[in-house]
Amino acid sequence: MRVEQLNVGWLTAPAGIWRRDDDGDRQVRIPVPAYLIETATERILVDTGLHPDAAADPARRYAGAAALGLFGFEQDASIADQLDLTTLTQVVLTHLHFDHAGGLALLPPSVPVVLQRREWEASQDAAAIARNFYLPVDYAALDRQLVLVDGDHDLLGDGSIELLPTPGHTPGHQSVRVGERLVLGGDVTHFATGVDDHRFPVFADDFAAQAASADRLRALRDAGATVRPGHDPAVLTPGPVEV
Ligand SMILES: [Zn+2]
């Protein structure tokens, strides 16, 4: 299989937002990745990046979401600028935050979108929306193409790609194992060191669950897999790898 990391945006915020006990004054710019997995028969996109309207004017697209005023938004090219989205066979979402789900609105309605049921149910609940700052405009039309899974899930039925529930950052967050040696961790940790030091962002649905999920990814790393963190500028370099 071939896995290509794409850049689908940038976010800037104080270091202490992205990583607990970090500097509150220093601004840190982090990349927003998405991944294209190509097999002999499939073209699978993992996450969709920022919506171009959000990158251009977040206050307008997400009117009323005051917390987003903390973040600087940028985008060099949207997912639609980089891929012919009509060629995708399916899309996997790690979770429904705006930097992962923003590009959903650009997809053709015929492309299935695979999500943990727990994440979807949280996104339909007012209290969970507020707690997790989900932005419903990002997924308002998603039910037409939604495929819900529960727990560990063998995506292609041949063991090659496995969805791994890794909750905590959000209620139904999942990671993606691709082959035996690569795990797309999603936002279990923003930085690669987070699987060891558990210095997560200051916001989460459940920090204890997030720590357990980090331990799950650490065990995979210690068994020989490369675990890609969510937003580490020192580690995430666009380009393809063979797995
Ligand atoms: Zn994220």
Side-chain angles (χ1 to χ4, degrees):
M1 292 181 283
R2 182 178 183 272
V3 180
E4 182 172 7
Q5 184 192 312
L6 306 166
N7 176 280
V8 280
W10 300 91
L11 295 170
T12 301
I17 298 284
W18 301 135
R19 183 158 53 183
R20 177 168 54 79
D21 300 331
D22 220 329
D23 194 344
D25 300 327
R26 182 171 48 90
Q27 294 283 322
V28 172
R29 182 177 185 249
I30 61 172
V32 177
Y35 297 90
L36 177 67
I37 305 171
E38 294 176 285
T39 76
T41 56
E42 297 264 348
R43 282 169 61 82
I44 302 162
L45 180 65
V46 178
D47 289 337
T48 65
L50 299 178
H51 192 285
D53 292 351
D57 189 348
R60 182 169 177 189
R61 177 161 175 83
Y62 298 131
L68 292 186
L70 283 170
F71 298 98
F73 286 66
E74 297 170 75
Q75 189 174 59
D76 304 323
S78 76
I79 196 68
D81 294 329
Q82 299 179 62
L83 294 180
D84 177 355
L85 298 177
T86 65
T87 66
L88 296 174
T89 55
Q90 48 188 317
V91 172
V92 171
L93 283 187
T94 59
H95 63 299
L96 283 169
H97 276 164
F98 62 87
D99 53 323
H100 301 260
L104 285 173
L106 306 172
L107 294 174
S110 56
V111 179
V113 176
V114 184
L115 189 63
Q116 289 286 328
R117 184 182 310 277
R118 194 171 165 203
E119 184 75 0
W120 179 248
E121 289 179 350
S123 78
Q124 306 301 303
D125 176 82
I129 289 171
R131 179 175 171 78
N132 292 286
F133 57 89
Y134 294 128
L135 297 163
V137 66
D138 282 334
Y139 53 85
L142 187 56
D143 53 353
R144 66 190 176 183
Q145 63 204 104
L146 196 57
V147 177
L148 295 177
V149 299
D150 296 289
D152 288 5
H153 181 75
D154 181 353
L155 187 65
L156 302 181
D158 62 2
S160 60
I161 299 173
E162 188 177 21
L163 308 185
L164 308 172
T166 45
H169 180 68
T170 61
H173 186 283
Q174 63 183 350
S175 303
V176 184
R177 178 182 62 74
V178 188
E180 296 303 318
R181 308 289 281 189
L182 179 65
V183 177
L184 308 176
D187 286 2
V188 172
T189 73
H190 275 37
F191 296 90
T193 49
V195 295
D196 294 303
D197 65 22
H198 290 189
R199 289 175 65 198
F200 304 124
V202 293
F203 53 90
D205 180 65
D206 181 335
F207 284 112
Q210 189 169 16
S213 293
D215 287 345
R216 185 175 194 188
L217 296 187
R218 185 179 61 186
L220 290 166
R221 184 204 62 190
D222 290 350
T226 297
V227 176
R228 295 280 182 106
H231 295 284
D232 190 338
V235 172
L236 296 177
T237 306
V241 294
E242 291 290 334
V243 297

